[in-house]
């Protein structure tokens, strides 16, 4: 490694000075000497683009670096760090940077999940690095392990809690009985919710990360539009209480899995990518991921099961991942070489949501009389959905004591867990069960993962 003095400083442009950008600016300044030693050149922060340069800032930010002229700033950089978010102007600025042969680092999962291939191709054509470790699960090194460390293996499945806000909300609902809206507000105050928390609670943020992870894990192009998505807004306090009663927790999961060809249905091999709330047994490692923490569970053919855990959001944790990328890109500037390119060689279909195969827990209120269970079981069997277990919970007073709603007089509650079944079969089954005369309401249908 050459000494930092023997190489001219590398000019770093920072686009954005919000939750993440402020911490990137702080680390670039406070750790300047260490970074110089690790890179072999000093990293000089040459400007910070913001929307409003006159707005109050954290005192760690050198106000003389602030500018509202992001395009002008990009023209004077060797490395452009984009932490402004959104699609435009972020995409245009990154393309401008790449065209000018600057390396780029971004935390912008929304942009990558929508139009990553345009950026990857531009970077490839220009022979520059594009790094995005912070775009998935904040501080957790997961992009690099999947893209590089597991490049010699075959990943079969990725199961992740990749949105801190929703994990915080579900955890608060589970442990304190908090209301969903209050917990979302707390997450915003703590700095991990997106500016518009709809992106979190409706699952868009997790879907963007799922698309990025699936693309890397399976060497195919997956965009956010390919991801079957369901957020947490329909999860009720009753669902949370029932989950606990049956030995589960509810988590918003991002799932990307390889499905082999199915001779029976003639369906070819493909990749299923989805985001939805799911029941996880309390014994599963992901069940113990609390608060705003994230974790990604990877199953690979040779490596077996791997779990990556840590802070998935917040200014300093995310800035740590950004800085790691800046160091990698900067080292390439000093020593030569280039980071990995997008890999899309795999001939795999992206399967529709209806092809996802999972287990389900269905709760329903039915007339409490003989023969009803048999009718319900018959409706499931008619659609090829096999029952794993049926419970009829105990006395109403015991149910109420655990915070769960009790059925009306003359009704009984059934909790049915199925064996794995395709989403399409389950949807048709639920419709058929709901239409049965003795069925009063389907209280909830939740997927069960991780058993
Ligand atoms: P913030 O909203 O806190 O900050 C955004 C920054 O970008 C602000 O400084 C804003 O300027 C600036 N900005 C926005 N639009 C423009 C524009 N058109 N021109 C110039 N500057 C602009 O966002 P975060 O720091 O939370 O997130 C940044 C990125 O990092 C996003 O892509 C996000 O998804 C990603 N990310 C965030 C994490 C987190 O925990 N917050 C975790 C992982 C990734 P001004 O200050 O003047 O308004
Ligand atoms: N809003 C996101 C979260 C930030 O809650 O996880 C990290 O991408």
């Amino acid at each position: 490694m050459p000494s930092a003095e023997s190489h001219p400083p590398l000019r770093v442009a920072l686009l954005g000075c919000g939750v993440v950008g402020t911490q990137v600016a702080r680390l670039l300044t406070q750790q300047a000497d260490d970074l110089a030693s690790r890179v072999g050149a000093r990293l000089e922060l040459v400007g910070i683009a913001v929307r409003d340069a006159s707005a109050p800032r954290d005192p760690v930010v050198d106000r003389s670096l602030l500018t509202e002229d992001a395009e002008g700033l990009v023209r004077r950089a060797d490395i452009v760090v984009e932490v402004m978010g959104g699609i435009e102007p972020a995409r245009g600025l990154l393309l401008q940077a790449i065209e000018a042969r600057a390396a780029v680092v971004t935390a912008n999962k929304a942009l990558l999940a929508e139009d990553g291939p345009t950026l990857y191709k531009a970077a490839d054509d220009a022979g520059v690095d594009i790094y995005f470790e912070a775009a998935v699960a904040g501080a957790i090194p997961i992009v690099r392990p999947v893209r590089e460390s597991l490049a010699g293996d075959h990943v079969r499945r990725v199961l992740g809690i990749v949105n801190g806000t929703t994990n915080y909300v579900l955890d608060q609902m589970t442990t304190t009985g908090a209301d969903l809206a209050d917990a979302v507000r707390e997450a915003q105050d703590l700095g991990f919710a997106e500016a518009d928390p709809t992106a979190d609670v409706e699952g868009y943020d997790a879907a963007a990360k799922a698309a990025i992870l699936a693309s890397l894990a399976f060497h195919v192009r997956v965009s956010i539009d390919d991801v079957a998505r369901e957020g947490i807004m329909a999860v009720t306090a009753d669902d949370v209480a029932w989950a606990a009663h049956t030995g589960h927790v509810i988590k918003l999961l991002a799932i990307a899995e390889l499905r082999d060809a199915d001779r029976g249905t003639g369906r070819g091999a493909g990749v299923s990518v989805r985001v939805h709330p799911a029941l996880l047994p309390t014994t599963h490692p992901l069940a113990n991921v609390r608060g705003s923490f994230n974790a990604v569970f990877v199953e690979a053919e040779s490596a077996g099961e791997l779990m990556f855990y840590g802070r998935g959001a917040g200014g300093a944790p995310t800035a740590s991942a950004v800085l790691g990328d800046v160091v990698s890109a900067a080292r390439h500037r000093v020593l030569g070489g280039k980071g990995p390119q997008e890999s899309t060689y795999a001939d795999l279909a992206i399967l529709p949501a209806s092809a996802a195969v999972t287990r389900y827990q269905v709760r329903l209120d039915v007339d409490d009389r003989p023969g009803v269970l048999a009718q319900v079981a018959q409706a499931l069997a008619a659609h090829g959905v096999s029952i794993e277990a049926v419970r009829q919970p105990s006395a109403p007073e015991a149910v109420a004591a655990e915070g769960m709603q009790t059925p009306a007089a003359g009704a009984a509650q059934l909790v049915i867990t199925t064996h794995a079944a395709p989403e399409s079969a389950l949807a048709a089954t639920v419709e058929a069960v709901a239409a049965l005369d003795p069925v009063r309401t389907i209280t909830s249908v939740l997927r069960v993962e991780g058993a």
Side-chain angles (χ1 to χ4, degrees):
M1 175 82 66
S3 85
E5 281 65 42
S6 64
H7 193 282
L10 293 168
R11 299 161 302 166
V12 178
L14 183 58
L15 308 181
C17 193
V19 173
V20 180
T22 301
Q23 296 305 316
V24 173
R26 177 179 69 79
L27 293 176
L28 278 170
T29 311
Q30 293 179 353
Q31 301 184 2
D33 292 344
D34 277 338
L35 292 169
S37 302
R38 292 170 195 177
V39 167
R42 293 199 76 77
L43 299 178
E44 185 191 348
L45 182 56
V46 290
I48 307 174
V50 290
R51 250 180 316 227
D52 178 3
S54 63
R57 301 281 160 191
D58 188 301
V60 295
V61 175
D62 176 352
R63 296 194 68 93
S64 71
L65 293 174
L66 295 173
T67 174
E68 292 174 16
D69 177 15
E71 287 186 21
L73 173 60
V74 163
R75 278 195 288 276
R76 359 184 219 111
D78 300 302
I79 299 172
V80 172
V81 177
E82 186 270 307
V83 284
M84 58 175 31
I87 306 301
E88 293 294 353
R91 170 169 48 196
L93 290 165
L94 288 177
L95 288 171
Q96 183 199 328
I98 290 167
E99 202 175 309
R101 300 261 187 296
V104 297
V105 172
T106 177
N108 194 336
K109 60 260 170 168
L111 173 57
L112 294 177
E114 181 169 305
D115 198 17
T118 301
L119 294 168
Y120 306 143
K121 179 170 186 324
D124 199 20
D125 290 348
V128 297
D129 280 333
I130 177 163
Y131 280 109
F132 48 90
E133 183 60 70
V136 183
I140 304 175
I142 182 66
V143 168
R144 211 174 297 251
V146 173
R147 186 152 74 151
E148 299 181 48
S149 316
L150 289 168
D153 207 329
H154 280 114
V155 175
R156 301 289 312 177
R157 193 164 194 244
V158 180
L159 194 65
I161 294 172
V162 291
N163 182 268
T165 302
T166 46
N167 203 53
Y168 181 83
V169 168
L170 292 171
D171 194 36
Q172 289 289 98
M173 287 173 79
T174 304
T175 53
T176 70
D179 164 56
L180 190 134
D182 286 346
V184 172
R185 260 192 302 280
E186 280 176 47
Q188 278 181 294
D189 293 345
L190 291 166
F192 28 84
E194 296 299 302
D196 172 5
T198 313
D200 298 300
V201 295
E202 295 291 358
Y204 290 102
D205 178 76
K209 294 165 180 168
I212 296 169
L213 281 176
S215 305
L216 297 172
F218 303 120
H219 306 272
V220 287
R221 275 191 183 161
V222 181
S223 90
I224 189 161
D225 298 330
D226 298 316
V227 182
R229 177 196 50 79
E230 202 179 295
I232 63 164
M233 294 307 282
V235 176
T236 63
D238 197 40
D239 289 331
V240 169
W242 270 103
H245 183 73
T246 58
H248 294 89
V249 287
I250 300 181
K251 296 287 186 190
L252 184 74
L253 295 181
I255 301 167
E257 64 190 357
L258 201 56
R259 299 211 63 84
D260 294 327
D262 183 337
R263 284 212 198 113
T265 61
R267 194 195 60 224
V271 174
S272 165
V273 193
R274 56 193 198 271
V275 166
H276 52 68
L279 292 164
L280 266 184
T282 49
T283 48
H284 191 280
L286 287 176
N288 292 312
V289 176
R290 307 284 311 277
S292 66
F293 276 84
N294 282 194
V296 184
F297 196 74
V298 180
E299 295 167 25
E301 268 173 24
S302 302
E305 294 177 347
L306 304 161
M307 178 141 144
F308 301 83
Y309 170 85
R311 292 207 177 271
T318 307
S320 162
V322 169
L323 261 287
D325 283 351
V326 169
V327 168
S328 295
R331 279 183 178 149
H332 287 146
R333 294 270 146 163
V334 173
L335 300 168
K338 194 180 156 307
Q341 291 165 221
E342 186 196 20
S343 164
T344 55
Y345 72 88
D347 185 18
L348 290 167
I350 311 301
L351 301 173
S354 56
V357 177
T358 187
R359 295 164 62 232
Y360 297 86
Q361 190 187 82
V362 184
R363 284 195 291 126
L364 59 161
D365 285 357
V366 296
D367 291 346
D368 195 6
R369 56 182 163 81
V372 172
L373 180 56
Q375 276 188 62
V376 172
Q378 177 53 40
L380 270 83
H383 290 86
V385 177
S386 168
I387 295 175
E388 182 190 282
V390 180
R391 295 174 198 225
Q392 182 169 345
S394 51
E397 41 300 349
V399 166
E402 288 186 50
M404 299 172 290
Q405 283 171 12
T406 53
Q413 186 158 47
L414 296 179
V415 183
I416 300 175
T417 308
T418 72
H419 285 295
E423 185 107 13
S424 50
L426 198 275
T429 308
V430 169
E431 209 174 300
V433 170
L436 293 174
D437 190 46
V439 173
R440 299 190 178 187
T441 29
I442 306 274
T443 324
S444 114
V445 180
L446 281 167
R447 297 165 185 89
V448 184
E449 296 284 346

